[in-house]
Amino acid sequence: MEPYELVVKGGMVFDGTVDEPTLADVGVRDGRVVAISAAPLVSGSARVIDACGKWVTPGLVDVHTHYDAEVLVSPGIGESVRHGVTTVIIGNCSLSTVYADAEDCADIFARVEALPWDAVHGAVQKHRSWDDPRSYIKAIESRPLGLNVAALIGHSDIRVAAMGLARSVDGSKPTDRELSQMIAMLREALDAGFLGLSTIRSSFSKVAGARHPARQLPSTYADWREYRALNDLLRAWGRIHQCTPNLTRRAEVARFFAQSSGRLHRKPLKTTLIAALDISADRKTIWAALASAWMANRTLGADFRFQHLPVPFLMYGDGIDLVVFEEFGSGEAALNIRDEIGRGALLVDEDFRRRFRKDMTKRFSPRVWHRDLSRAHITECPDTSLVGLSFAAIAETRRVHPADAFLDLVVEHGSQLRWRTVVGNDRPEVLNRVANSPSIQMGFNDSGAHLRNMAFYNSGLRMLARAWDAQRNGRPFMTTAQVVHRLTAELGEWYGIDAGALRIGSRADIAVIDPAGLVEAGDDYSETPMPEFGGMSRMVNRNDGAVAATIVNGHVVYEYGTFADGFGRTVHAGTFLRAR
């Protein structure tokens, strides 16, 4: 028998199904799992990972990321790897970097995903060696990947390439030739191994840059004739449609149910939307979403899932720079002005303030953010006496409207005023119920985006910690095996990629999780500079006691807070995962 190259010894092995774990050794050779044995394996000269008292699971799968630019300049993707993630999916929300040029990519990515325009532009311009999906995959595979990457093709990407950025955002409909070109681009991507198409309908997803500021993303201007033409191709190939719907037109979600339907002698279209959130602005939304998805799957024969973030949706803002202000007109107007002097002049204008107060207190408009400034607390400020206070409390002291107190502080301190608010998912009992719904899938981490606004890189660990804590306290809502399944094999199977399983013959993508360290997995975050993005400070999670090891294709790339030598530079651990 050939010797093993790696042996993970003495751990509780979860295979990715809902079956209970077994105490076993795992043997790895040539990047594959070749043995799972209750009897100790002879390790010989193999690298040994001591997993005694730990959980050995398939590597976690993160289905909603925006690492499209970061993977070019920092291909280790360490913030995910350190949390046991071994596979990520890029190209979400209509955004990819396959067809559009560097300037167009920067314009469609920067504002909606809160990424530096120069960083996106520089990454694509410097590293671009591709001109189609196949050469793009080759370029990604040539990078020293720290984990596996799969991709959706972005609708805004192909729309810009077919129509040009100007026409794609001015409300023009594509000509028959342009629509045929988009269909050909999608077919080319699917044939190369992309998982499907991502689109966006959200009205507060805007273009950055100087050419077409404040226009919505190209995908939002498409009509349903265009969507149907692309969906017909996805259905024929058995691939996926991912979308961010327009939450101000919630009835529009019914169109996605209809498109996903498998009735009338056709195949269902795999469809996933963001997001199943228990938003505090409207507590009925989560139940309506789950009920309607269940009905669509049951009565229409659809294959539909809402993506779900299994942790509280905690967001941070620097001054007024936060995507929630895109929800209403006055907030959008402020974000449209990028220079500090011009924005400051707007924020002190009384007519603007009147509109801002009205928008903040409007009661019956569709929204994601509650806009309750008593639930928005300052975390950093040059005036340290304000740290820990809500804007409503400060307003009461100053005898002004809470919206005016907020604007006054933004004018005075700009981006040095840092504050936080919980948008939703703040009721644990509801999170536990949602976690069991067959109409959701674990996702919507937005990893690699909103670098100053949120950090959900450890959401999988936090879900494991919540379930394990509930079990130990006699209030179980899911078994650990069920949670592992939802974070791994269920996603790999639905997206049609070779990920999420731990069995003989599977690729050796493994997370060794230390349950004693899961107590660290919370919403605390650190900040770290990103040299590749101009040194900007990024919100990150640090749970170094929770993951004993992350193994990608048989390479031990991370152990208890330490990355392997050459990680992201010379070690080629990950690969590009094509659709089955």
Side-chain angles (χ1 to χ4, degrees):
M1 185 181 69
E2 292 183 59
Y4 304 113
E5 295 168 358
L6 172 68
V7 175
V8 182
K9 294 191 72 68
M12 295 300 298
V13 178
F14 295 80
D15 61 6
T17 71
V18 296
D19 294 340
E20 287 303 301
T22 58
L23 185 65
D25 287 3
V26 178
V28 175
R29 186 187 308 122
D30 295 329
R32 293 277 166 179
V33 175
V34 295
I36 301 175
S37 173
L41 295 177
V42 177
S43 55
S45 61
R47 171 77 183 275
V48 175
I49 299 291
D50 181 5
C52 183
K54 302 175 181 66
W55 302 337
V56 181
T57 77
L60 307 188
V61 179
D62 189 345
V63 300
H64 195 111
T65 82
H66 292 284
Y67 283 128
D68 305 71
E70 187 173 340
V71 73
L72 301 174
V73 295
S74 185
I77 313 296
E79 290 310 318
S80 287
V81 168
R82 74 188 308 132
H83 293 104
V85 175
T86 59
T87 298
V88 298
I89 297 176
I90 61 176
N92 285 279
C93 299
S94 86
L95 306 173
S96 57
T97 62
V98 178
Y99 288 105
D101 64 27
E103 187 173 14
D104 289 342
C105 285
D107 278 1
I108 63 176
F109 265 90
R111 180 164 171 174
V112 64
E113 300 303 339
L115 295 168
W117 190 96
D118 290 341
V120 177
H121 180 268
V124 177
Q125 185 177 56
K126 179 179 179 180
H127 295 280
R128 189 179 195 103
S129 60
W130 60 88
D131 54 18
D132 61 18
R134 288 191 183 279
S135 54
Y136 174 82
I137 291 174
K138 184 177 179 180
I140 296 301
E141 286 182 320
S142 72
R143 310 296 295 156
L145 298 174
L147 43 55
N148 303 305
V149 175
L152 300 159
I153 191 72
H155 185 213
S156 287
D157 183 5
I158 64 176
R159 205 169 198 266
V160 166
M163 300 176 65
L165 182 60
R167 289 192 65 246
S168 73
V169 297
D170 70 1
S172 297
K173 293 183 178 180
T175 64
D176 289 344
R177 181 177 180 179
E178 288 167 341
L179 182 55
S180 295
Q181 186 178 355
M182 282 187 263
I183 293 171
M185 289 175 175
L186 176 58
R187 181 180 292 109
E188 193 174 30
L190 299 181
D191 187 56
F194 279 65
L195 307 184
L197 176 75
S198 69
T199 63
I200 196 165
R201 305 287 292 170
S202 170
S203 60
F204 53 86
S205 298
K206 302 292 172 49
V207 171
R211 295 177 296 167
H212 305 284
R215 293 281 188 172
Q216 294 173 199
L217 288 182
S219 181
T220 66
Y221 293 96
D223 60 20
W224 282 90
R225 170 180 172 267
E226 184 175 330
Y227 279 110
R228 280 193 296 272
L230 298 170
N231 282 340
D232 285 346
L233 187 60
L234 293 173
R235 190 189 310 278
W237 282 69
R239 300 291 172 84
I240 291 161
H241 184 157
Q242 183 271 329
C243 186
T244 304
N246 187 340
L247 293 178
T248 65
R249 299 176 182 174
R250 293 176 184 173
E252 189 179 73
V253 174
R255 286 182 175 266
F256 289 97
F257 295 151
Q259 282 287 287
S260 183
S261 171
R263 300 300 188 203
L264 301 178
H265 308 290
R266 66 179 187 179
K267 293 192 299 185
L269 172 64
K270 284 188 172 183
T271 304
T272 178
L273 303 188
I274 62 172
L277 288 175
D278 177 25
I279 57 173
S280 57
D282 184 354
R283 296 300 194 182
K284 297 177 182 177
T285 298
I286 184 65
W287 307 123
L290 295 184
S292 57
W294 183 86
M295 287 294 293
N297 290 331
R298 186 173 179 85
T299 63
L300 299 179
D303 192 351
F304 182 95
R305 303 290 187 277
F306 276 112
Q307 293 183 10
H308 170 63
L309 179 71
V311 299
F313 201 123
L314 174 64
M315 299 190 75
Y316 285 75
D318 292 324
I320 203 168
D321 283 310
L322 188 61
V323 69
V324 294
F325 290 105
E326 301 274 18
E327 283 191 326
F328 50 89
S330 57
E332 178 187 350
L335 294 176
N336 286 344
I337 301 175
R338 304 310 300 173
D339 71 280
E340 193 170 333
I341 294 176
R343 181 181 286 179
L346 176 69
L347 299 188
V348 297
D349 179 78
E350 184 51 41
D351 181 61
F352 168 82
R353 289 200 168 205
R354 190 177 302 110
R355 289 187 290 124
F356 188 80
R357 287 192 295 268
K358 182 178 179 180
D359 284 336
M360 287 289 287
T361 54
K362 193 179 296 182
R363 292 185 60 189
F364 299 111
S365 60
R367 64 181 66 186
V368 174
W369 183 35
H370 50 71
R371 306 181 198 174
D372 181 354
L373 291 175
S374 70
R375 298 159 64 187
H377 292 80
I378 295 172
T379 61
E380 298 175 33
C381 183
D383 183 352
T384 57
S385 68
L386 302 179
V387 172
L389 298 179
S390 72
F391 292 107
I394 295 169
E396 185 175 357
T397 300
R398 298 184 177 186
R399 297 184 179 180
V400 296
H401 192 281
D404 287 300
F406 171 75
L407 293 175
D408 288 343
L409 290 170
V410 172
V411 170
E412 184 176 356
H413 301 295
S415 61
Q416 291 182 291
L417 174 71
R418 191 153 171 78
W419 54 282
R420 60 182 272 175
T421 187
V422 177
V423 174
N425 285 359
D426 51 330
R427 298 185 294 177
E429 68 281 6
V430 173
L431 284 181
N432 294 347
R433 288 178 61 186
V434 173
N436 279 288
S437 170
S439 301
I440 66 101
Q441 61 186 202
M442 297 302 166
F444 194 41
N445 290 341
D446 254 352
S447 304
H450 303 286
L451 304 179
R452 295 286 302 159
N453 305 134
M454 56 196 187
F456 300 129
Y457 301 99
N458 67 345
S459 71
L461 297 180
R462 290 168 66 183
M463 185 179 176
L464 279 166
R466 192 173 81 245
W468 189 52
D469 185 63
Q471 291 173 47
R472 289 185 299 157
N473 287 286
R475 300 188 302 273
F477 64 92
M478 295 179 82
T479 67
T480 303
Q482 288 172 323
V483 177
V484 170
H485 173 68
R486 301 226 73 173
L487 296 170
T488 59
E490 180 181 272
L491 299 171
E493 291 165 6
W494 197 86
Y495 281 86
I497 52 177
D498 182 15
L502 179 49
R503 56 178 179 261
I504 294 176
S506 67
R507 197 176 50 254
D509 298 333
I510 301 169
V512 182
I513 295 171
D514 188 342
L518 283 178
V519 294
E520 297 181 5
D523 63 10
D524 290 344
Y525 77 93
S526 305
E527 295 193 23
T528 187
M530 296 183 70
E532 306 86 356
F533 278 13
M536 75 171 292
S537 181
R538 165 197 203 154
M539 290 178 61
V540 297
N541 304 118
R542 287 291 184 265
N543 313 134
D544 292 345
V547 177
T550 303
I551 301 164
V552 178
N553 287 318
H555 298 271
V556 182
V557 292
Y558 172 86
E559 291 181 273
Y560 280 130
T562 301
F563 291 97
D565 291 342
F567 175 81
R569 301 186 305 277
T570 59
V571 175
H572 289 252
T575 189
F576 189 96
L577 299 185
R578 293 162 177 79
R580 292 196 184 104

